Amino acid sequence: MERISSWLERQASSRHVQLAGAAVLGGVTVAAAILGAQSIRREVMIEDLKASIPNIDDTHNPTNLSEYGAVAGSQSLSKEDQKSAKLAARARRGDYDDDLILEQLARNRVFLTDQGLAKLRASFIIIVGLGGVGSHATAALARSGVTKIRIIDFDQVTLSSLNRHAVATLSDVGTPKVTCMRRRLEQVTPWTKFDCRNELYDSAAAERLLGPWKFEGEEGGKPDYIIDCIDNIDSKVALLHYCHLHSLQVVSSMGAGCKSDPTRICVGDISTSLEDPLSRSTRRRLKILGVQSGIPVVFSTEKPGPGKAALLPLADEEFAKGNVGDLGVLPDFRVRILPVLGTMPAIFGYTAANHVICEISGYPNEYNPGAKAREKMYDGILSTLQGLEESLARANVGRDFTGLRLPLTRDDVGYLVEEVWRGKSAISGLSTRLVLVRWRVPPGGFRPDENWIEDHQTCSRMELHDLVLMTKEEAARHEREVLRGSKNPEDTYEEKVLAIVRRRQDEEKFFEKYR
């Protein structure tokens, strides 16, 4: 004890210890002062906020809010909206002349036939997400004769969404999107029954939101089709997985943001949508859940590129504030702005609605007939390339390599022909009698990949960017002078051709990471 006491006396008399103690005491004092000032400031702000809230009296009536902060009650309606709402209520009760409905649907009737239109009118469709895509899909279905529509969206109409929304007006800003859709479309098809669900789709609510028809005392069967127009990846994957598990017919819209080429929009199985970023992410997540195909999607094959729109970066000052995830309106929702050309979501929405209309009515519809007719051409190109590789390997090594395998599929050939080379020869721009050939002699010459020979497999080493599209006549000259001869492409072609090949090869190298 004596030693401890003497040690404490020595430390207490030490100048360094005294300075350290003073610094600690000063820090604690400053921290206490800052926290006290912040506490006082919060109290003042709370009092100011309370003082700004009006008293509930005859001039300020309380209004309940929904779970997401939207006004639960309806806004005051214009006389026209009131009239339309009354007419719609009568029509839903059956007080509307069916001859008038058939007259309004006359063009659809002659196109789909009476039987097809009857199927469409009896159908029950669910649309999840009422942004640019979903609002146009809903409007198209209502105008085409669908009588029972359930619309699901938690969000409200904003000023910035008016560039792509199908029916919203300035007076609808701030109102729930589901309310806006019903109010506007009742003025077009008053007989349509809109089951509005102003809530966020999630897995916990899937059974209730995607369940059988139940509206105004009327009950029915399960939905004939579901249209997924969600732009949040977690909700989209959850919806598609639920539909797959419960055998519900669904079509999903992929990303319309940053797209501008309407000719690139396609309908196909999700397994074929290789170039769409949202589809790629959705496909990977679904694959983990055991779903690899069987879901039709609307997607675009358009690629990003220099000068094209892209996801806007978040300002540096927002990162300085802390966790940027806190800036989202809801957890896991994106906080960066996705540029959208107003016409593209509409085309996506109408394409999804068109798919549903044809499927339900039984109208024969075969997508991309031009591409399907070219499948034989792709097979021919692949066969020609394999034969050329066998011949070049035989000449280089002096052995027969019949059956030499290529690391290419017919889909790879179609991608190269249509997407990379735009269906035209890189040399002349001609679009007939096309073949794929190597642009240069590979390092080490033409021979099977040594890594695979040990496994008794003769496989050629080849990358997609190694191949160039030419006509058969151009390929024969290229084989003679470059692949079998002593010339380089730079010695054979003019600079214009070389520039085209370099640009397309660089594009393919960039996009290889997405395949």
Side-chain angles (χ1 to χ4, degrees), residues 27-224:
V28 171
T29 303
V30 171
I34 293 174
L35 292 174
Q38 290 178 341
S39 178
I40 294 172
R41 184 183 177 190
R42 280 196 299 270
E43 292 293 332
V44 171
M45 293 175 66
I46 291 172
E47 291 301 322
D48 289 343
L49 180 61
K50 289 180 177 179
S52 68
I53 300 175
N55 294 323
I56 298 175
D57 52 27
D58 293 338
T59 58
H60 294 95
N61 296 315
T63 303
N64 293 326
L65 299 180
S66 71
E67 181 183 353
Y68 301 100
V71 178
S74 59
Q75 295 181 335
S76 58
L77 301 178
S78 65
K79 290 184 178 180
E80 182 180 355
D81 287 344
Q82 292 178 18
K83 182 179 178 181
S84 298
K86 291 179 181 178
L87 177 61
R90 286 173 45 199
R92 289 197 301 270
R93 294 193 298 267
D95 187 11
Y96 200 92
D97 192 335
D98 198 59
D99 288 338
L100 292 178
I101 298 176
L102 291 176
E103 177 62 25
Q104 187 167 334
L105 301 175
R107 298 302 176 93
N108 272 22
R109 185 181 181 184
V110 296
F111 189 93
L112 301 174
T113 73
D114 286 339
Q115 294 78 12
L117 182 60
K119 293 177 183 177
L120 193 61
R121 292 185 65 188
S123 64
F124 163 35
I125 312 297
I126 297 178
I127 299 95
V128 187
L130 293 179
V133 177
S135 63
H136 283 277
T138 304
L141 291 170
R143 292 175 183 271
S144 298
V146 178
T147 304
K148 293 179 287 189
I149 299 177
R150 181 178 295 161
I151 46 180
I152 304 169
D153 199 303
F154 75 96
D155 208 357
Q156 304 172 35
V157 177
T158 62
L159 196 61
S160 64
S161 66
L162 296 184
N163 82 313
R164 57 195 182 277
H165 201 277
V167 296
T169 67
L170 282 171
S171 63
D172 295 312
V173 171
T175 63
K177 289 180 178 178
V178 292
T179 304
C180 166
M181 289 299 301
R182 186 198 69 227
R183 182 186 303 168
R184 297 303 167 204
L185 290 178
E186 280 179 346
Q187 299 176 6
V188 182
T189 59
W191 61 84
T192 305
K193 300 172 183 178
F194 291 100
D195 180 9
C196 300
R197 306 292 182 93
N198 183 205
E199 54 186 297
L200 177 70
Y201 177 86
D202 60 25
S203 299
E207 185 175 354
R208 175 172 52 83
L209 293 177
L210 304 182
W213 176 258
K214 185 181 295 185
F215 180 69
E216 294 184 345
E218 178 187 355
E219 296 187 7
K222 69 176 186 179
D224 295 283

Side-chain angles (χ1 to χ4, degrees), residues 356-422:
V356 171
I357 291 168
C358 292
E359 287 289 303
I360 291 177
S361 65
Y363 188 83
N365 201 24
E366 187 175 357
Y367 295 114
N368 301 322
K372 289 182 180 293
R374 293 166 77 89
E375 288 178 352
K376 290 184 178 180
M377 181 185 80
Y378 302 153
D379 286 332
I381 292 176
L382 184 59
S383 177
T384 300
L385 178 61
Q386 183 178 17
L388 177 60
E389 287 290 306
E390 290 175 358
S391 174
L392 292 170
R394 184 167 54 251
N396 187 59
V397 181
R399 288 172 46 196
D400 185 14
F401 288 103
T402 300
L404 179 69
R405 299 165 69 179
L406 303 182
L408 292 179
T409 66
R410 182 175 65 185
D411 289 339
D412 292 328
V413 172
Y415 166 74
L416 286 170
V417 172
E418 306 297 345
E419 299 297 328
V420 177
W421 299 105
R422 280 62 161 178

